[in-house]
Amino acid sequence: MKRRTFTSILAGFSLAAGLFGTAAAAQDMRIALVVKALGIGFFEAAAEGAEEAAAELGNLEVIYTGPTDTTAEGQIEVINSLIAQGVDAIAISANDPDALVPALKKAMQRGITVISWDSGVAEEGRQMHLNPSSNALIGNMIIKLAADHLPDGGQVAVLSASATATNQNTWIAEMNKVMGNYPGIEVVATVYGDDLADKSYREAQGLMQSYPDLDAIIAPTSVGIVAAAQAVADAGKIGEINVTGLGLPSEMAGAIESGASRSFAIWNPIDLGYSATMIAHALATGAATAAPGAEIPMGRMGSITLDDTNAAAMADPFIYDSTNIDQFKSIF
């Protein structure tokens, strides 16, 4: 049996009655997929993957939940509510790597399996972390996407999510490490839209005003890239400024078709939600253990081997452009 539960920090929960331990196999295991904020297409696609995993595993209820905005405070409220419910596992994409640690440590002390995925939690606050891809490969990819269309070099700017987003900061740092491989490309600014469409739009407008010779905006966030593409289109700068980074095919199809974006990349969030759920289930049932060097199964996605920090990468990023956008835009 598989069920998916939608909730938010405002929703009330009743404590589930039932037996634990050896009786767990006869009941639904409950895994909470905690996202940065509700209403974001990337995470909704991840929830589809979690549903797929639940259907494959059986006897699993997926609780898809998160705050209404991208704050650590909102996620802490969600975590405390899940602890009160006594869920079996929490799989979280973190808004802050450190602020969530006390609440997640409390969850683990109560016997709840805790993993992070997408955006990580500090090591002491989780059992393992699933990166969507290799941080180094993503960092290289986001600058390569811009540089590929600037053979003579040019000015690029970064429109990130929040200043504390673990994954965004790591990818930008990795990007900076490989800038020597792209001579003539100059990163003129990094700004933050907090994964809010209106703020990201305004930040993109500000970049175009501050840097009149800007050639590309790199947004390693599915919210920011759409907002930046719209800002470029509204400014009449299609063909002058290329918007690239990480986005969803369904949300970026219009930008590819208009020319506001030449190409972008993303892992498949459906695969990511699926893999996170499979990993959380394996750890919660004792089928696998989170330890350096351990191999953990991910169903149809194969398996991962944890590094010295109990982290691993799911897959490489994939490039979407005019040659394949129609194939993927109806999927996620």
Side-chain angles (χ1 to χ4, degrees), residues 153-272:
Q155 293 185 352
V156 304
V158 177
L159 170 59
S160 186
S162 67
T164 59
T166 316
N167 52 356
Q168 305 279 311
N169 290 336
T170 300
W171 299 334
I172 293 167
E174 292 291 342
M175 180 192 79
N176 289 330
K177 289 180 184 178
V178 298
M179 288 304 299
N181 297 334
Y182 302 97
I185 302 297
E186 179 189 6
V187 179
V188 296
T190 298
V191 297
Y192 302 94
D194 292 337
D195 261 349
L196 299 173
D198 55 348
K199 184 176 181 182
S200 297
Y201 182 91
R202 292 194 301 271
E203 292 291 348
Q205 286 181 314
L207 287 172
M208 290 186 285
Q209 292 166 2
S210 299
Y211 302 95
D213 295 326
L214 191 65
D215 296 293
I217 297 175
I218 299 169
T221 155
S222 61
V223 175
I225 193 171
V226 174
Q230 187 62 55
V232 166
D234 290 348
K237 291 186 177 292
I238 291 177
E240 297 178 39
I241 298 176
N242 175 37
V243 176
T244 189
L246 306 178
L248 296 175
S250 60
E251 296 177 348
M252 285 297 291
I256 291 290
E257 292 163 5
S258 73
S261 175
R262 302 285 294 276
S263 61
F264 64 97
I266 197 69
W267 39 91
N268 189 327
I270 296 173
D271 291 345
L272 188 55

Side-chain angles (χ1 to χ4, degrees), residues 20 24 95 98 174 237 250 275 281 287 306:
F20 297 89
N95 284 326
D98 301 313
E174 292 291 342
K237 291 186 177 292
S250 60
S275 298
H281 184 270
L306 298 183

Side-chain angles (χ1 to χ4, degrees), residues 52 90 101 119 125 131 146 192 198 201 222 289 310 313 329 332:
E52 179 190 346
I90 293 172
V101 168
S119 185
N131 287 304
Y192 302 94
D198 55 348
Y201 182 91
S222 61
T289 302
N310 276 7
K329 67 182 182 181
F332 69 98

